[in-house]
Amino acid sequence: MQQNEYLTRYLKQQFDRQQNYDQILKKVKGSGYMNKKRILNIVAILLVVIIVAAMSPSIYAQIKWNIEYKEYQNREISYGSGAVDEAIKEYEKNVAMDYVYKDNIGVKIDSIMITDDYFKMNVNFRIPEDIEINTDTFVYGFAVYDENDNIYGVSGGMFYGSKNDEGSDYWKKLYKELDIKYDKKDVFAVQLNDSTSTGVVTSTRGNIITSTTMTSNKGFPKSKKLYIRIFKIGYNLIQFNEEKTQVVATDSVILTNQEWNFDIEIPEEFYNRETINLKISNEIDGFELTKAEVTETGMVLNVKLKGLVETIMEGREQTVQELQNAVNEIIHVEDKNGDKYNNINMGTTENKDEVKLKFDISKNDFKENEFYLCIRLENNNYKLKLGKGDVP
C-alpha cells in the first residue's frame, strides 16, 4: 500500500528521531540537572514517538478505508427490476427487463435458474459497436444476495495484473453495507457458493451475452427476491510467445467502473422447489454415500469411495479425458436399459476423502426411469439401486 506523501513528510518532521534527541539534549544540558519528573517526561515523549511511528501505517490504512467506503456509499448506481415470465429449456426462466444504460453500456439480466445446489444467471451487455473488445476474455464483477441478506456469491472479476485489485475488496464493502458479521480468519465463509464460473455464451459486434454459474454444498435458500449487482466491466489482454505455448504478458482494459443494481422477483416454482432425496439399496464396506439428491437440473452424489481421491490426485499428471475415463471406470450411473451416465461435474469437498459428483439426470428423468449407482471397489463391481429416501 503506497502511503500518502504528505502524511509521511509530516510524520517525519514531527517525529524525527535525531531531531527529538537533539532537542532533549539541549534542554537537559541547559538546566544543569535532571530530576525524576523530567526523566519521566522524556521517556513519555520517546514512547509517544515510538507508538505513533508504529501506528502510522494502521492510521493511514484506516483513513484510506474510510475514504474508499465513503466513495463506495456515494457511488452512482443504475437500477433495474424484472419479473420472470416464460420458461426456456425446462427450468431456466427468462426475465422481462429492458437494458439499463450507464457510460453508453446497457446491461440486463436475461434469465436465472436456482436449485438447492445450483445458481445460474445470463447477463446481457450492449456495448457501442465502435469499441473493439476481446470477447474471449470479457469479464465483470458481480454480487448476488437475497431479501434476507444471504450472500450467494461476490466476485470482483478475474482481471489480470493490478486491475484485479480494483474490485477485489467489493465483498468487504458489501458486508459493511448489509451489516454482515463474518470471521476475519475466513472472510468468504458467509458466502454460500463453493465454486463459480463465468463465460461468454454468444457475442456479436455490440452485444455480449454471458453466463455465470455457482454451486453450493451449503445449499441456496428458497429466496423470494434476489438482488444482483454488476460492476467493473472490461476484458483481459493476453500475449503469447510465437509458438503459442506460453503466456509472456497480460494486461486488462476496464470499460467502466459504474454499477448496475437489479432486483428480481423469484417465481414460485423456484422457492417452492422440492428436492428428492435418495438412498442406495445396500451398504458396502469401503463405500459411503453421504449425500444423494436429484433436482430439476441434475443428480448430486457426495461419496467416500476407497481409491477415488487417489485416482483424482493422480489425474494431475493426465489429460482431462484420461482423468474422466479413470473416474468413470470407478463410479458412474446406469438406467434400467443399461445406458451409462458419466459425471458432468466433479470436485472434492471440505470433508476428508469426500468427492462431489453431478449427473445429467433430472427429477422428471428419475420419475420415469430406474437408476443404479455402479462402483468398482478393489476389483469388484457393484450395482446399487437408487431409490427415494434420506441417506442414513
Side-chain angles (χ1 to χ4, degrees), residues 34-50:
M34 188 183 305
N35 58 30
K36 291 183 180 179
K37 183 177 180 180
R38 186 164 298 176
I39 292 174
L40 291 175
N41 287 340
I42 294 171
V43 172
I45 293 171
L46 291 174
L47 186 59
V48 168
V49 172
I50 293 170

Side-chain angles (χ1 to χ4, degrees), residues 44 53 64 68 98 187 199 229 243 257 274 276 278 288 296 316 357 362-363:
K64 185 174 185 295
E68 287 181 351
D98 294 327
V187 299
R229 301 184 179 188
E243 294 77 21
N257 276 311
E274 181 182 359
I276 300 176
L278 306 175
E288 183 182 356
E296 289 80 1
R316 291 177 294 183
L357 303 162
S362 69
K363 280 169 52 174

Side-chain angles (χ1 to χ4, degrees), residues 239-248:
Q239 181 181 350
F240 292 90
N241 58 8
E242 293 183 2
E243 294 77 21
K244 306 295 182 184
T245 58
Q246 186 176 357
V247 175
V248 296

